[in-house]
Amino acid sequence: SPSGVDAATVTMTCSADATTPTYVWKKESTAIWGATAAEYAYTVDITEGDASGNVRFTCEATTVASQLMGSATVGFLIKPQQPTITATGLPITTPGDTGTLTCTTASTSSSKTYKWFENGTAVSGHSGSELVRTYGSSGEYTCKAIINTVESTASAVTTVATQADDLEPKNEVLKIVMYVVGGVVAVCFLTVLIAVGCI
């Protein structure tokens, strides 16, 4: 399957043009003990796709006289294991600083790549395990591991929120107080930037 297998069980059926043939199922060229029926149900072990991303089965059919009639091989791709995201440098509170998101999967294939998503949209040009975000960046991020074009299930969401707007200084007048000093009205105000000022 191009989309990769992550079901609990895959059932395969072998047939031969003969009377009561005998079957032998093999996995990666090794005979499977007890697998001698026309149908074989494979319980998917997602870790088996870690190195190559695929698994192959062969069915051999023989006659009653033990003559090999032929064999057929079927292979399918297994999804990489679901990755997780770890974050460093968050929250990003200072202009010029960065934070790093790292996508990690237990799948061991050396050819694996990654796909990053920001608010559900693929991040263009990023296929590595790390994604760097800068001050002012915000959004929800997920990633997928890819082996042999097969994508894993997406990771859990990691939220990046620098809240840059909240960190910007605000010159808002919070309080105005009027005093009468020697017949002169003094207007004093308190701001975020200036503790107290009077005019």
Side-chain angles (χ1 to χ4, degrees):
S1 170
S3 60
V5 172
D6 62 357
T9 303
V10 175
T11 301
M12 296 164 281
T13 302
C14 188
S15 62
D17 187 15
T19 303
T20 62
T22 300
Y23 299 98
V24 174
W25 285 93
K26 295 182 178 181
K27 178 181 174 185
E28 305 294 354
S29 75
T30 300
I32 303 171
W33 184 85
T36 56
E39 188 175 273
Y40 176 69
Y42 165 61
T43 300
V44 176
D45 179 358
I46 195 169
T47 63
E48 290 187 317
D50 287 352
S52 63
N54 61 74
V55 62
R56 290 181 174 83
F57 292 88
T58 300
C59 171
E60 294 181 350
T62 58
T63 64
V64 176
S66 297
Q67 293 180 329
L68 179 65
M69 298 179 60
S71 64
T73 299
V74 60
F76 50 86
L77 301 172
I78 299 177
K79 282 188 175 183
Q81 296 187 62
Q82 183 182 25
T84 58
I85 294 178
T86 54
T88 56
L90 298 181
I92 310 169
T93 59
T94 305
D97 287 351
T98 60
T100 301
L101 304 178
T102 303
C103 188
T104 305
T105 177
S107 297
T108 58
S109 173
S110 60
S111 62
K112 62 179 176 285
T113 57
Y114 297 88
K115 181 181 287 187
W116 287 93
F117 298 85
E118 180 183 59
N119 298 322
T121 301
V123 180
S124 177
H126 291 275
S127 59
S129 61
E130 293 187 347
L131 182 68
V132 177
R133 299 289 85 180
T134 58
Y135 176 82
S137 299
S138 62
E140 294 185 337
Y141 294 85
T142 58
C143 69
K144 293 181 178 181
I146 305 173
I147 300 176
N148 288 341
T149 72
V150 178
E151 299 181 0
S152 70
T153 301
S155 68
V157 172
T158 295
T159 300
V160 174
T162 57
Q163 298 179 329
D165 291 341
D166 293 340
L167 298 171
E168 293 295 331
K170 293 180 173 61
N171 189 18
E172 296 177 353
V173 176
L174 303 181
K175 186 180 294 184
I176 297 177
V177 183
M178 296 183 67
Y179 294 94
V180 178
V181 181
V184 178
V185 177
V187 179
C188 299
F189 54 89
L190 177 67
T191 72
V192 174
L193 296 180
I194 304 173
V196 177
C198 297
I199 57 174

